Each structure stands twice: as structure tokens, then as C-alpha cells.
């Protein structure tokens, strides 16, 4: 992609991304043709012939994290390929691609915070960041925000989504599960245990297990922390036990991530709102992510904002007109969501390695994280494709 961001990693939507994986998986399981290129390689070929197919999404387990934290893990032993996520490589965009089979350009969810109507909302937890005092409730936001139809309900075999108890019945989960079964679990052991129990059924099924625990920990403690290493070891032990059950139940197991991670040094957080002249050119607060900020300029001020941002913030980020991102296709192929261009704003500030961008509204605590994602560092974009099949009996 021809964008002036040296060293940047972008998704490979021509056959090497999460979007392409979902295109191939849908075909294997009798789902719709989503109109995208299939996944290159044979990692998923014939997977639909197995009685059970499991898709584990380990939030935040990028390819770099798997190499560094679990070099001798059972997960890494099952690695078939490293593929790219989507843009931006963040849960709102990538998990929605998994659940719908649609690119971020199509489903329209492009950040932790994004413009929706005249409000800046968080599309997963469904709250309004700006303006303060909005009367919009989570269900009302869900009803107006989500539009890409759920994918799993359209597979020819029964599908179930195993989700942490604190999100299993959220408006976001209810919409994106559609008619598929939602199953709440309570902690790692229960999640894996319920999945193993389901594999013992003689009825073919598709089982999606979403694991957000590692992502949460790496945000708090950092992607290379001892705590992250220990948690991955616990996930890996549960994964190894799952494979034993899978081998006896004709179950194929695929494990992926939604994005990777990079560390967020405390000394490299840039407060965009500290520059009164620059921030004053914006019509509303920043949206997007700390590694990718969408900037909506006041009428007639976009050019001056780009000029000042490049002059004053060049050490920390690239200031890219949002029209260039859209023209380059970074959000993926397909028919663009009608609000995509508006949600991207006039300018995107893309953080350079090590840097994060923020503003702080009245009533908010200053955001501090030890690990982050959603930018263009290769460690944010590359994710593992792990696939394990039962060995046929001799």
C-alpha cells in the first residue's frame, strides 16, 4: 500500500488475512460466499469433513507474542502460518470481521471509539464518550450501530459461541450471535471444559470459544510481562487437554488471534490536547485508538491541522489525510459502509513505534496502558494461524 509510513505493516486482503480465513471457513462449513479471496495455503482445506470444528480466538495473541512467550508451547507446535489481521488491528474491527465475515470497510466498526451520528461511542461496551450526558442506552446504540449480518447462524451445522459470562448476554454479543447458541462460561477452566463436553456429542457442530483474558492482562502489565507468560502457559495447558479430547471426537481445532501487541512506554504518551492551537482546530475529541487517532477538523481547518501536526508531532506520528487511507483500501474490500468515510474524519494520526496518542475529556482519568495495539507495527498486525486435526486411525 502506497502510504508514507515507512516500515508500516498492512493487511494482506488478497489471501493472507483474517478476512480471507473467514471466507474459506464459511465455504468449508456450508456458509455463504462472502465475495472475498480465499485463504492462501491448505491449512483449512477439508476441515468441514470433521464432525466438529472449533475456532478459538485468543484475544491479543499476536505472532510475536506466541514466539516470545510460548516458544515451546503446544499452540506454537500447531502453527501452520502467520497471517495478517485487518486494519485497524483491534478487537472492534477484527472480531467483528470474524463474527460477520465482513471487512472493516463493510461492517463499519473501526476503533474502540468511533463517530456514530453526532456522538463518539464505544461500539463493543456500547457507551457514549462524547457528548457528556447522552441519553443513548446500550441497546439503542446496538440497534442503530450494527448492520453486518451474523455469519455463524448461516453455517449448515449448529453453531455455538462460548463467551465469558460478563459479555455473553450483552447487546453486542446477542446481535453478532444471531440465531446461533450463546453459552456463558466462568473462567478459563470452565470455558475449555464446556467446549470439551460439547465435542463428545455425536451431532456435528461448530464451536467458537472467545478468550479475552490475555488481552486484558497485556494491556495492564505489558506484552512481555512475566504475568502474560504465565497466563499463556495456562491457556496452552488447557489447549493441549482440548486436543486430546478433539482427537477422540473427530474434532478439528483452529486457533487464531484478532491482533498482536506492542509495549507502551510511559514516557511516550503524547497528549494531543496539550497543544491548544492544534487541538482547537478539531470539531470534536479524538476517536479511534491510542495508536490510531481519527481527527475531525472544523470546517476549512483540515489543511492547517495536517500542516501543524506534521510540524509539531512528527516525532510521534504520521499525519495522513483520511482520504488516502480510504483510497489505499486499508479497511478492506467490499461495499463500504455508508458512514465509513465520515467515521475516519479528515486526518488520521498513526502513531510511530513506541508512541501513543490521547486526549482527556472532563471527568475522564488520563489513560495509561502498558501494552497497546491498533497501529501499523508488524507486531500489531501479524497473527498466528494454528490448526490441529485428529490423526486418522490406522
Amino acid at each position: 500500500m502506497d502510504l508514507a509510513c515507512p516500515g508500516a505493516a498492512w493487511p494482506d486482503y488478497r489471501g493472507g488475512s483474517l478476512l480471507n480465513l473467514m471466507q474459506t471457513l464459511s465455504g468449508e462449513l456450508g456458509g455463504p460466499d462472502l465475495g472475498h479471496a480465499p485463504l492462501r495455503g491448505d491449512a483449512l482445506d477439508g476441515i468441514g469433513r470433521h464432525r466438529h470444528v472449533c475456532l478459538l480466538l485468543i484475544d491479543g495473541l499476536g505472532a510475536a507474542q506466541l514466539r516470545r512467550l510460548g516458544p515451546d508451547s503446544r499452540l506454537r507446535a500447531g502453527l501452520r502460518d502467520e497471517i495478517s489481521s485487518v486494519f485497524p488491528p483491534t478487537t472492534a474491527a477484527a472480531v467483528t470481521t470474524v463474527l460477520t465475515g465482513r471487512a472493516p470497510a463493510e461492517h463499519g466498526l473501526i476503533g474502540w471509539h468511533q463517530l456514530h451520528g453526532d456522538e463518539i461511542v464505544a461500539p463493543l461496551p456500547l457507551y457514549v464518550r462524547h457528548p457528556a450526558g447522552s441519553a443513548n442506552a446500550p441497546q439503542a446504540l446496538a440497534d442503530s450501530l450494527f448492520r453486518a449480518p451474523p455469519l455463524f447462524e448461516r453455517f449448515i451445522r449448529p453453531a455455538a459461541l462460548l463467551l465469558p459470562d460478563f459479555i455473553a448476554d450483552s447487546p453486542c454479543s446477542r446481535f453478532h450471535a444471531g440465531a446461533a447458541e450463546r453459552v456463558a462460561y466462568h473462567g478459563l477452566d470452565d470455558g475449555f471444559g464446556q467446549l470439551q463436553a460439547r465435542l463428545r456429542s455425536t451431532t456435528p457442530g461448530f464451536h467458537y470459544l472467545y478468550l479475552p483474558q490475555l488481552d486484558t492482562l497485556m494491556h495492564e502489565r505489558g506484552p512481555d510481562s512475566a504475568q502474560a507468560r504465565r497466563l499463556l502457559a495456562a491457556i496452552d495447558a488447557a489447549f493441549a487437554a482440548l486436543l486430546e479430547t478433539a482427537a477422540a471426537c473427530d474434532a478439528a481445532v483452529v486457533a487464531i488471534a484478532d491482533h498482536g501487541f506492542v509495549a507502551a512506554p510511559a514516557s511516550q504518551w503524547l497528549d494531543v490536547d496539550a497543544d491548544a492551537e492544534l487541538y482547537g482546530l478539531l470539531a470534536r475529541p479524538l476517536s479511534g485508538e491510542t495508536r490510531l487517532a481519527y481527527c475531525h477538523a472544523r470546517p476549512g481547518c483540515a489543511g492547517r491541522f495536517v500542516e501543524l501536526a506534521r510540524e509539531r508531532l512528527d516525532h510521534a506520528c504520521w499525519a495522513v489525510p483520511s482520504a488516502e487511507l480510504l483510497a489505499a483500501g486499508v479497511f478492506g474490500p467490499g461495499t463500504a459502509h455508508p458512514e465509513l468515510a465520515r467515521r475516519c474524519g479528515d486526518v488520521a494520526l498513526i502513531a510511530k513505534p513506541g508512541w501513543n496518542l490521547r486526549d482527556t475529556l472532563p471527568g475522564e482519568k488520563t489513560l495509561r496502558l502498558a501494552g497497546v495495539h491498533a497501529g501499523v507495527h508488524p507486531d500489531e498486525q501479524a497473527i498466528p494461524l494454528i490448526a490441529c486435526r485428529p490423526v486418522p486411525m490406522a
Side-chain angles (χ1 to χ4, degrees):
M1 294 181 181
D2 188 19
L3 291 165
C5 304
W10 304 99
D12 175 11
Y13 296 119
R14 295 171 296 178
S17 76
L18 197 56
L19 179 68
N20 311 109
L21 182 146
M22 296 314 299
Q23 167 73 32
T24 293
L25 186 63
S26 182
E28 286 284 343
L29 297 179
D33 180 353
L34 302 165
H36 300 306
L39 183 70
R40 282 193 298 270
D42 61 358
L44 301 186
D45 286 1
I47 203 167
R49 293 196 291 267
H50 295 284
R51 180 185 302 162
H52 295 282
V53 176
C54 307
L55 179 63
L56 280 60
L57 197 156
I58 308 172
D59 198 322
L61 183 61
Q65 283 67 55
L66 182 59
R67 284 195 304 271
R68 292 199 290 261
L69 300 178
D72 301 316
S73 63
R74 185 64 186 83
L75 282 160
R76 191 151 189 256
L79 185 69
R80 293 293 305 274
D81 202 356
E82 291 185 5
I83 62 174
S84 59
S85 178
V86 296
F87 186 80
T90 193
T91 300
V95 169
T96 307
T97 289
V98 170
L99 297 178
T100 66
R102 295 296 172 191
E106 299 174 293
H107 62 62
L109 303 188
I110 56 170
W112 180 253
H113 291 123
Q114 67 178 50
L115 188 65
H116 179 56
D118 291 321
E119 298 179 327
I120 294 176
V121 307
L124 298 188
L126 292 167
Y127 66 80
V128 177
R129 181 184 189 224
H130 175 82
S134 169
N136 257 328
Q139 188 60 59
L141 285 174
D143 292 342
S144 61
L145 183 61
F146 304 140
R147 55 181 289 138
L151 176 61
F152 298 166
E153 67 176 15
R154 292 183 282 169
F155 293 165
I156 60 172
R157 61 178 68 195
L161 292 82
L162 284 73
L163 306 169
D165 59 308
F166 53 87
I167 63 168
D169 198 41
S170 71
C172 182
S173 295
R174 289 198 302 270
F175 178 90
H176 288 104
E181 183 182 5
R182 282 177 291 111
V183 180
Y185 72 83
H186 309 273
L188 276 176
D189 290 345
D190 185 46
F192 277 95
Q194 289 201 52
L195 177 53
Q196 287 177 270
R198 299 180 77 88
L199 297 187
R200 297 186 180 100
S201 170
T202 56
T203 302
F206 170 75
H207 317 275
Y208 169 75
L209 175 61
Y210 174 60
L211 301 168
Q213 298 85 356
L214 187 64
D215 174 86
T216 300
L217 185 65
M218 290 195 293
H219 277 304
E220 295 174 354
R221 299 292 186 172
D224 297 308
S225 64
Q227 295 93 331
R229 187 180 302 274
R230 287 194 294 269
L231 179 54
L232 181 59
I235 293 171
D236 190 62
F239 179 76
L242 172 66
L243 292 185
E244 291 185 11
T245 301
C249 298
D250 189 24
V253 179
V254 177
I256 55 173
D258 50 349
H259 56 75
F261 255 87
V262 290
S267 61
Q268 291 181 265
W269 285 77
L270 189 151
D271 293 291
V272 179
D273 51 347
D275 187 323
E277 182 181 7
L278 179 70
Y279 197 68
L281 297 173
L282 297 180
R284 49 178 54 90
L286 302 177
S287 54
E289 305 267 351
T290 66
R291 297 274 299 149
L292 169 70
Y294 303 119
C295 305
H296 294 78
R298 296 183 183 276
C301 294
R304 179 59 176 160
F305 181 86
V306 170
E307 180 184 347
L308 277 184
R310 288 176 174 172
E311 175 186 320
R312 299 177 181 179
L313 310 182
D314 183 65
H315 63 289
C317 63
W318 295 286
V320 180
S322 298
E324 294 183 13
L325 291 179
L326 292 166
V330 299
F331 298 101
T335 302
H337 188 285
E339 290 294 309
L340 178 65
R342 188 165 177 266
R343 289 173 180 173
C344 291
D346 300 288
V347 183
L349 300 180
I350 303 175
K352 292 182 177 181
W355 285 93
N356 282 275
L357 314 167
R358 66 188 173 198
D359 60 357
T360 305
L361 302 184
E364 290 183 340
K365 293 182 178 179
T366 301
L367 182 61
R368 294 180 176 88
L369 299 168
V372 289
H373 51 80
V376 295
H377 191 283
D379 287 356
E380 296 168 281
Q381 184 60 238
I383 58 174
L385 170 54
I386 297 157
C388 303
R389 313 276 190 103
V391 178
M393 298 294 290

